[in-house]
Structures are given as C-alpha cells and as structure tokens.
C-alpha cells in the first residue's frame, strides 16, 4: 500500500508539473505572437554593409552583411572615416537580424579611433557585455568606471557612459614587443532610454516584455582609441570630444534635458 501510494503521489506531481509546463509554453507562445518590437534609438539607413573574410577564397572574401546599416557620419571634426568592415567571426557569431554600423576615423595627424554600433533585432542576444569583445580581441581591462559626458545637441543633457582603460602587448614586425594602451567608452540606447549598465538594460527590457509585451530595441555604442601606453587620459579626452560632435548625428535618444544654469555650469567646468 505504501508503495502504491507513493507511486500515485509521484504521478500526481508529474501531472501537475507537466500541466504547468504546458500552460507556460502556451502562454509564452501566445505572448510572443503578440509581442511588438520597439523602435531603435539610432538612425538606420537603407545602405548595404559588407564584411571581409581575409581567410576566404578571393571570390568570397567580401560578403554582404545586411541591406541596412546604422548611419555614422563621414566626417567628424578633422577626422574622416575609412572602411572598417565587419569580420566573418562577428557576423557568424551574432544573430542574422543584427544591424551594424562601424567606421574607423582617421585624423589629419594620423591618430585614429573606431566607432561601433550593434543594433539588435527580434533576437535580443545581439547585445552582450562589451567587455567580452574587448578581451576577446586580445586586450586586457586595466580599470573601468562610470562617468557622464556633457552633451549640448540637440539639447543639453548628460550621456551616461562606461569608461574602460585597456592594455595590450603588441608584437612588432622586428620581433620585439610594444606596450599599448587604450580608451574604450560605451553605453546602451533604446527608443527612450540611455544607460551605461548592462544589468539595468536587461531589467528594463524584461520589465517592458512582461508589462507591455514590447521588446525594446537596444543598440550598443562604443568608441575605442588605442594609444601609446601612458597616454590613456589624452585618448579619453579625444574620445569624449568625438562623442560630443558625432553622437547627435546618429543617436535620436537624449537624456533628461538640463536646466540652463546646470548646462552652463557643465560647460564652464570643461573650459
């Protein structure tokens, strides 16, 4: 009798669990069917974007990444952009509905920095912690801190950013080693939100999915400036100046508008 009772109880438990799983699957299927994808907080243009795979046969070396791309300006200050194609590794790794924007900006003094935008589609796995990309490309993260950048266009607001100081040992053509530094600045933007915190972005996205059946369409934006070791602070200043001029050209979302007195105070502190 004890054995039969235990078996009956086990069957009841499995029946309840199975019913809950079935109901959950039905709910998620119905919920996803009615889910709406939010608008991006960056400009998307109908221009093809190509990638380059240097290890492929010559005829297949250049490949189509997408028919759309995130707009990035051709000229910023005394920088002009040059081709910085998506790699095959990145293209194969991220979901195919990902939209990219990336350019290398070269100054008249030869100094360069890279600007990247990764815009998710219906597959939210397009966006992940930027630290993975940086370390995956051979850089070490020396330090990181949250900060803000004072923006004046289209309104005065403070852009929240994460600042990473990076380092790398570069092998020279002569067989020696060269120590490099780097200034890496990133943040996330959706239709109406800005944050430098990955966890905060994830929380906001989950909340809107549950309460509004809306999947926020987040973009990850980063600007990276490699530099000689010891010149990281100067590199950060150049990155911040670039962001202040370039971002209003392609990012449509702004933070809370500052009062005139607060905006004047921020400008005065920078001078």
């Amino acid at each position: 009798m004890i054995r039969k009772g235990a078996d009956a109880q086990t069957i009841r438990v499995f029946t309840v669990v199975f019913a809950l799983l079935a109901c959950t699957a039905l709910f998620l299927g119905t919920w996803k069917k009615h889910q709406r994808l939010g608008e991006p907080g960056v400009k998307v243009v109908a221009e093809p974007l190509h990638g380059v795979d240097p290890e492929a046969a010559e005829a297949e070396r250049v490949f189509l990444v997408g028919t759309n791309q995130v707009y990035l300006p051709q000229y910023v200050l005394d920088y002009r952009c040059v081709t910085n194609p998506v790699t095959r590794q990145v293209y194969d790794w991220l979901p195919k509905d990902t939209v990219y924007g990336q350019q290398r900006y070269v100054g008249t003094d030869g100094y360069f920095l890279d600007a990247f935008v990764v815009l998710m589609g219906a597959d939210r796995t397009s966006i992940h912690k930027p630290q993975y990309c940086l370390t995956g490309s051979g850089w070490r993260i020396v330090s990181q801190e949250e900060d803000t950048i004072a923006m004046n266009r289209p309104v005065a607001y403070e852009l929240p950013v994460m600042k990473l100081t990076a380092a790398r040992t570069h092998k020279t053509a002569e067989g020696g080693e060269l120590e490099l530094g780097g200034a890496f600045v990133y943040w996330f933007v959706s239709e109406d939100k800005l944050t430098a915190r990955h966890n905060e972005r994830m929380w906001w996205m989950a909340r809107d999915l549950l309460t509004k059946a809306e999947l926020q369409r987040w973009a990850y934006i980063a600007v990276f400036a490699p530099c000689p070791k010891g010149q990281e602070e100067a590199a950060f200043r150049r990155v911040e100046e670039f962001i202040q001029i370039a971002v209003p050209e392609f990012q449509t979302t702004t933070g809370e508008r500052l009062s005139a007195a607060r905006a004047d105070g921020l400008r005065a502190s920078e001078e």
Side-chain angles (χ1 to χ4, degrees):
M1 293 294 294
I2 295 176
R3 178 64 180 174
K4 290 182 179 179
D7 289 344
Q9 185 177 8
T10 300
I11 291 173
R12 285 196 295 271
V13 170
F14 275 111
T15 301
V16 171
V17 171
F18 180 79
L20 288 173
L21 290 174
C23 291
T24 301
L26 179 63
F27 168 76
L28 291 175
T30 304
W31 172 61
K32 190 170 183 178
K33 182 178 179 181
H34 297 285
Q35 176 182 296
R36 184 180 78 86
L37 182 63
E39 295 296 322
V42 292
K43 297 178 182 178
V44 178
V45 293
E47 297 178 6
L49 180 67
H50 293 87
V52 173
D53 183 358
E55 298 181 359
E58 186 172 353
E60 301 174 351
R61 192 163 296 170
V62 177
F63 61 95
L64 180 66
V65 173
T67 55
N68 293 334
Q69 62 177 290
V70 176
Y71 170 77
L72 290 174
Q74 293 292 304
Y75 297 93
V76 178
L77 298 170
D78 62 347
Y79 298 95
R80 60 179 179 83
C81 68
V82 298
T83 302
N84 188 20
V86 175
T87 65
R88 171 63 73 176
Q89 182 181 17
V90 170
Y91 176 74
D92 289 343
W93 186 26
L94 296 183
K96 294 301 177 280
D97 63 354
T98 306
V99 180
Y100 304 86
Q102 61 181 59
Q103 298 284 3
R104 170 162 291 181
Y105 289 87
V106 181
T108 53
D109 58 356
Y111 192 92
F112 76 90
L113 49 80
D114 293 324
F116 310 88
V117 184
V118 177
L119 173 64
M120 61 174 271
D123 190 332
R124 57 182 179 268
T125 61
S126 296
I127 310 294
H128 50 274
K129 287 187 175 181
Q131 287 83 347
Y132 297 156
C133 293
L134 192 60
T135 56
S137 58
W139 290 86
R140 305 184 306 276
I141 297 174
V142 177
S143 66
Q144 70 175 44
E145 63 173 326
E146 286 188 59
D147 202 349
T148 59
I149 295 177
M151 306 294 291
N152 294 316
R153 294 187 299 131
V155 298
Y157 72 98
E158 293 181 279
L159 176 68
V161 299
M162 192 71 73
K163 297 168 62 175
L164 306 182
T165 302
R168 181 177 186 177
T169 302
H170 175 70
K171 298 289 186 181
T172 65
E174 295 77 21
E177 293 185 347
L178 177 64
E179 293 298 320
L180 298 176
F184 189 91
V185 176
Y186 75 84
W187 67 98
F188 305 100
V189 58
S190 69
E191 180 180 7
D192 59 358
K193 291 180 176 61
L194 291 166
T195 182
R197 301 175 181 177
H198 175 75
N199 290 340
E200 186 171 48
R201 177 189 69 83
M202 294 290 289
W203 159 243
W204 283 340
M205 185 167 60
R207 183 193 61 188
D208 277 15
L209 273 172
L210 291 173
T211 61
K212 302 178 182 179
E214 176 181 293
L215 179 61
Q216 295 172 343
R217 195 173 184 190
W218 284 94
Y220 147 58
I221 303 174
V223 180
F224 180 48
C227 62
K229 186 175 178 60
Q231 297 185 19
E232 292 84 359
E233 282 304 315
F236 274 121
R237 287 195 294 272
R238 294 189 73 150
V239 168
E240 291 179 1
E241 183 183 32
F242 175 89
I243 287 172
Q244 288 171 324
I245 302 301
V247 167
E249 300 297 322
F250 65 87
Q251 181 175 290
T252 57
T253 302
T254 66
E256 182 178 354
R257 184 168 188 164
L258 299 177
S259 66
R262 175 64 174 151
D264 289 343
L266 284 175
R267 282 192 290 268
S269 66
E270 293 176 348
E271 294 176 354

